[in-house]
Amino acid sequence: MEAIILQVLNGLDKGSAYALIALGLTLIFGTLGVVNFAHGALFMLGAFCAVTFSRLLQLSHSVVDETRTDFLGNPLKVDVYYVQEIFGETAGAAIIDWAVPLSILFAIPVMIAIGVAMERGLIRHFYKRPHADQILVTFGLAIVLQEIIKYFYGANPIPTPAPDAFVGSFDFGVLLGFDPGGIVYPYWRLIYFLFAAVIIAAVFAFLQFTTFGMVVRAGMADRETVTLLGIDIDKRFTIMFGIAAAVAGLAGVMYTPINSPNYHMGMDFLVLSFVVVVVGGMGSLPGAVLAGFLLGIIEAFASMTEVLDVLPGINQIIIYLVAIIVLLTRPRGLMGRKGVMED
Amino acid sequence: MTDQAQHAPAATPKPAAPARAKGGSLLGLGRKDFMLLLFVAALILFAPFLLNPFPAGSAMAQFNAGYPDLMQRFVIFGIFAIGFNILFGLTGYLSFGHAAFLGVGSYAGIWMMKLLTLNVIPAIVASVVVAGLFSLVVGFISLRRSGIYFSILTLAFAMMSYALAYSVLTPITGGETGLQLKYFDPRVLDAPLEAGVTPRANLFGIDMQASTNMRFGAWIFTLNAGYYIAGVVMLIAFYLSIRLFRSPFGMMLRAVKSNQNRLNYTGISPKPYTLAAFVISGMYAGLAGGLLVAMDTQVGAERMFWTASGEVVLMTILGGAGTLIGPVLGSGFIKYFENIVSKINESTLNAWFSFLPDGLQDVVVAIIYPFVGKGWHLTLGLLFMAVVIFLPGGLVQGGQKLVTVFRRDRKSADAEKAAAEQRQTQE
């Protein structure tokens, strides 16, 4: 029982990342009808937003500290963070410590801007083109974005730690009445899951309960009629693209403490999140979220040593295996609609 | 392989007038196709000279691509792309897992060379057969779906093969280290090698690595046995693909691409045709894989990674999907970039632009530097986007547009447009 709960928890954080990326992919596909292979790159850009932001916070200049001297008796030069100068010693240190969560504020406008620019500049010209062309051009864009990041940030992973408050693990088992140490789960992964849940809920609420969301849903169902009613649906879809980019970006921002970001992390996630989208059913938002968590948890179970003893290597292929089985038994994925992307 | 590709058209029912009937019949090809074949043959024959336009030791010498290793890759990936084009260009099914067939072919090939003989013939035959069988299984399952679902299914199979080759199947695949030929391999048909000798592949005694250098003044040209053997294989592969494009079977595949519903209504099931195309292109990939091990006698699992599958898609699109010569051009282009542009470094750039004033030189080098050397992927990505945006038909379409522009001077534009359209429908 403990092992099962532990594996479910282990699956949740990876599942959250899959779900968030797949959600963004599906939003773009559902609104614009574009298959966005650059979505993994947006995830990666989000992660590098966090890197950039924490570097910005750590900008410093050296000041001569008259009160202290080095061993020769000269006044000591000390690096002082600008943040600490502005907000004071303790508050500044806290801000630097909380760089990753704070970069959410930085990442949202940046990612929306990137998303809107991408849609206006490139994707817009590909609505009428075949899906293969869309896949190829966004794939090219993904390579370009990835190489730009590699040029500026280098090829090595950049460690970006979580705030000190969240370092360490949470003894989850005690809450449920198991022995202490039975189910131990890192705080940050818990935070990541909760964060993902909030974002997913927010996106659904936004689509369901706001006028803007209603118009977007109407546009997804019947674009032509909405246009005939005098609504500038293109503009709203552009904004939705920005939101989808922000969702992917935020998934990236919060993922940095779990895995140090590197320039190819987007590609690594892209392939899997496409599998997730397809398993969930192209164009279905709940399907994307469901499949994301499902595949994350299944992957965690397949990584258990008990399973690996019986079926070695199963953890490497389980997602693809599940994808093949789902696609062969349920042609449109778990919750897909008829006639989407079948030609 | 010869066997399969000739049987495939024969197995089809008889739709109307085959296209190859028109014109003279040279090797069963129309005049235009025959000229194309001759052109490719000439390209292969003279490539060691054409690709070495700069004298050895000159500043431009690093743009020379006429060294055996790279030329072998040109023709081998040409075969891979030609095969991929039979599936993607004709039927429109976008497979994202073709590297798996290349990898499986490579493994089959190297095992033949480990267990049987260093002669490459059994290795190549085995790689084609094994890759064909594997693609039959994958194709049979994947082709039950179409569109992006098909792409994801093929991707899933390829990634599974990659993961398995990397982990569980280590006894067969060598896992992370891959497989290399060793002197102590139990080759049944060959005399045992002396200890410490590195085994080298041969074709009835012709060493694959054997090269002769020809000197003309400052120019050095390398003629390599392995390259010419691979080149002949590619020529045969190209010839078969022309025959297939012009055959009734090729016509059926185009019908699958343009309108599957109509085929269904006519009472024809598209599945056997697409499956045959899938298996043929899988065998081409296996052939390429077999030739790869025949040339460098080693295999690693990374050959099956999805980026490798993506690369063959890029090659085909860049050259022009659905055209005959496109994939050959595309693969040559990408492999050239990969090997040549990636070798340019900062000091070479500085040497080139040393004629500029100092400040300007630094600026120019700083601008160009991110696009070359380790950053060549950036150039590739940009180039690729440009091709998809401006030339959806690839380099071939670009060439046709150029031809149209030049001819417009003489003929009226309208007549030329009609001719271009006709050309497109033919291809």
Side-chain angles (χ1 to χ4, degrees):
Chain A
M1 187 62 199
E2 289 173 24
I4 291 173
I5 294 175
L6 187 63
Q7 293 313 322
V8 171
L9 284 174
N10 276 340
L12 284 183
D13 60 303
K14 219 162 193 191
S16 311
Y18 294 153
L20 283 177
I21 301 176
L23 182 71
L25 268 176
T26 310
L27 269 182
I28 292 174
F29 181 76
T31 50
L32 303 169
V34 170
V35 183
N36 182 19
F37 254 57
H39 210 69
L42 291 173
F43 175 74
M44 182 267 300
L45 285 182
F48 278 89
C49 274
V51 173
T52 315
F53 190 66
S54 64
R55 284 193 180 172
L56 281 179
L57 287 182
Q58 287 174 34
L59 283 181
S60 60
H61 63 127
S62 43
V63 179
V64 180
D65 189 346
E66 298 291 351
T67 58
R68 289 154 68 192
T69 51
D70 61 11
F71 62 97
L72 288 176
N74 298 321
L76 192 67
K77 277 189 176 175
V78 197
D79 282 343
V80 175
Y81 295 119
Y82 284 112
V83 184
Q84 280 182 320
E85 274 192 347
I86 300 168
F87 295 101
E89 193 94 353
T90 16
I95 289 176
I96 291 174
D97 185 29
W98 282 70
V100 170
L102 282 175
S103 35
I104 292 175
L105 300 174
F106 173 73
I108 290 176
V110 171
M111 291 310 295
I112 290 182
I114 291 176
V116 169
M118 217 170 113
E119 201 273 339
R120 283 282 153 108
L122 182 72
I123 313 276
R124 166 146 303 190
H125 309 289
F126 279 82
Y127 292 160
K128 297 266 154 58
R129 301 272 287 267
H131 285 306
D133 280 7
Q134 300 169 352
I135 291 177
L136 295 166
V137 80
T138 47
F139 185 62
L141 180 67
I143 296 175
V144 169
L145 290 175
Q146 179 174 316
E147 289 301 313
I148 291 175
I149 290 294
K150 184 177 158 196
Y151 181 71
F152 284 107
Y153 291 87
N156 296 324
I158 302 164
T160 28
D164 288 338
F166 297 117
V167 173
S169 296
F170 175 50
D171 204 337
F172 207 76
V174 180
L175 274 189
L176 302 173
F178 295 111
D179 296 332
I183 305 171
V184 178
Y185 196 61
Y187 281 120
W188 187 259
R189 296 186 180 224
L190 202 62
I191 298 277
Y192 193 77
F193 168 65
L194 294 176
F195 175 78
V198 168
I199 295 279
I200 291 166
V203 168
F204 276 95
F206 179 70
L207 285 176
Q208 207 64 37
F209 302 125
T210 62
T211 321
F212 187 96
M214 190 185 70
V215 173
V216 168
R217 275 185 298 131
M220 283 163 87
D222 190 341
R223 184 195 179 103
E224 218 161 300
T225 312
V226 175
T227 319
L228 287 176
L229 289 171
I231 294 169
D232 188 356
I233 194 72
D234 282 353
K235 198 167 153 193
R236 286 161 205 252
F237 279 177
T238 307
I239 294 172
M240 281 316 287
F241 195 102
I243 291 176
V247 169
L250 291 183
V253 168
M254 296 295 275
Y255 204 69
T256 49
I258 299 179
N259 257 350
S260 301
N262 54 25
Y263 71 97
H264 56 77
M265 67 189 291
M267 284 290 185
D268 301 345
F269 265 90
L270 174 81
V271 173
L272 282 174
S273 42
F274 252 96
V275 173
V276 167
V277 169
V278 168
V279 167
M282 286 302 281
S284 159
L285 292 173
V289 175
L290 178 74
F293 283 114
L294 199 67
L295 290 179
I297 291 169
I298 289 177
E299 195 184 13
F301 271 104
S303 313
M304 287 168 71
T305 37
E306 291 87 342
V307 178
L308 286 178
D309 286 344
V310 187
L311 297 164
I314 188 81
N315 57 334
Q316 311 248 6
I317 60 167
I318 185 74
I319 287 196
Y320 303 106
L321 210 55
V322 171
I324 290 170
I325 294 168
V326 168
L327 285 187
L328 292 179
T329 50
R330 289 189 64 92
R332 291 175 197 100
L334 294 175
M335 303 173 91
R337 282 175 294 157
K338 193 175 183 277
V340 178
M341 282 299 285
E342 290 188 326
D343 38 52
Chain B
M1 189 209 66
T2 316
D3 209 33
Q4 168 68 21
Q6 279 175 351
H7 278 287
T12 62
K14 319 120 211 147
R20 88 173 87 104
K22 66 174 182 218
S25 185
L26 302 150
L27 289 172
L29 301 176
R31 208 178 63 85
K32 232 173 111 184
D33 291 338
F34 187 70
M35 296 309 286
L36 190 65
L37 187 70
L38 276 187
F39 172 68
V40 171
L43 218 55
I44 292 172
L45 185 62
F46 296 113
F49 305 98
L50 293 173
L51 292 172
N52 262 4
F54 307 110
S58 70
M60 301 298 274
Q62 62 174 326
F63 284 112
N64 283 343
Y67 53 95
D69 191 45
L70 181 54
M71 287 195 301
Q72 288 166 2
R73 267 158 208 279
F74 281 155
V75 287
I76 291 171
F77 281 89
I79 295 174
F80 191 19
I82 289 172
F84 183 78
N85 189 38
I86 290 175
L87 178 70
F88 177 60
L90 288 181
T91 69
Y93 276 79
L94 178 58
S95 159
F96 247 85
H98 253 53
F101 307 130
L102 182 122
V104 167
S106 290
Y107 283 121
I110 203 157
W111 274 110
M112 290 310 263
M113 283 160 70
K114 268 177 171 302
L115 298 178
L116 210 58
T117 167
L118 281 173
N119 194 324
V120 296
I121 297 285
I124 291 174
V125 170
S127 49
V128 172
V129 170
V130 173
L133 290 175
F134 185 54
S135 60
L136 183 68
V137 176
V138 173
F140 185 77
I141 300 172
S142 304
L143 282 166
R144 293 174 59 167
R145 301 284 166 259
S146 54
I148 194 159
Y149 295 104
F150 169 81
S151 303
I152 295 288
L153 277 171
T154 48
L155 176 70
F157 276 111
M159 288 306 287
M160 271 169 57
S161 322
Y162 166 77
L164 290 177
Y166 217 73
S167 57
V168 185
L169 297 179
T170 303
I172 305 173
T173 61
E176 264 179 71
T177 39
L179 292 174
Q180 294 84 24
L181 292 186
K182 297 274 162 41
Y183 68 88
F184 50 79
D185 291 329
R187 270 172 282 276
V188 182
L189 297 182
D190 287 2
L193 291 169
E194 281 173 43
V197 175
T198 316
R200 295 167 80 162
N202 64 63
L203 177 72
F204 302 115
I206 308 171
D207 188 343
M208 284 298 183
Q209 301 301 332
S211 303
T212 37
N213 284 334
M214 289 173 71
R215 285 178 165 276
F216 291 101
W219 282 266
I220 301 175
F221 303 110
T222 313
L223 304 179
N224 172 263
Y227 163 72
Y228 277 111
I229 290 165
V232 168
V233 176
M234 182 184 124
L235 198 63
I236 297 169
F238 186 65
Y239 168 71
L240 290 174
S241 101
I242 302 183
R243 288 296 296 263
L244 198 147
F245 265 61
R246 302 289 179 238
S247 69
F249 174 69
M251 193 67 92
M252 289 303 286
L253 295 182
R254 283 197 192 87
V256 171
K257 183 180 188 177
S258 60
N259 198 334
Q260 271 204 40
N261 278 336
R262 203 172 284 174
L263 268 188
N264 286 330
Y265 292 147
T266 335
I268 299 168
S269 164
K271 177 88 185 268
Y273 296 97
T274 44
L275 184 59
F278 193 90
V279 172
I280 292 171
S281 77
M283 291 167 86
Y284 268 78
L287 176 66
L291 282 171
L292 270 181
V293 287
M295 299 304 152
D296 61 8
T297 63
Q298 55 177 354
V299 201
E302 72 285 343
R303 209 168 268 187
M304 303 161 80
F305 197 58
W306 72 271
T307 45
S309 302
E311 196 182 53
V312 72
V313 181
L314 298 197
M315 288 171 178
T316 311
I317 306 275
L318 188 71
T323 62
L324 284 167
I325 191 79
V328 181
L329 296 180
S331 62
F333 204 84
I334 286 187
K335 283 290 155 195
Y336 182 81
F337 257 77
E338 187 180 295
N339 287 277
I340 303 297
V341 179
S342 62
K343 267 193 295 190
I344 304 173
N345 56 28
E346 206 160 0
S347 56
T348 16
L349 279 181
N350 273 316
W352 287 348
F353 294 105
S354 54
F355 65 91
L356 293 171
D358 264 357
L360 194 58
Q361 179 189 338
D362 291 344
V363 173
V364 170
V365 169
I367 292 173
I368 297 181
Y369 182 63
F371 295 94
V372 296
K374 282 179 186 160
W376 82 272
H377 271 113
L378 181 60
T379 318
L380 181 72
L382 287 171
L383 189 83
F384 187 63
M385 280 171 71
V387 167
V388 180
I389 295 170
F390 301 112
L391 288 175
L395 295 174
V396 169
Q397 193 199 20
Q400 285 174 347
K401 274 190 178 168
L402 275 183
V403 171
T404 318
V405 169
F406 279 117
R407 282 198 194 157
R408 198 166 284 167
D409 301 339
R410 279 174 278 163
K411 294 178 182 177
S412 80
D414 285 348
E416 200 42 51
K417 210 182 224 174
E421 268 161 24
Q422 203 184 352
R423 251 202 312 278
Q424 260 175 1
T425 44
Q426 270 177 17
E427 303 254 310

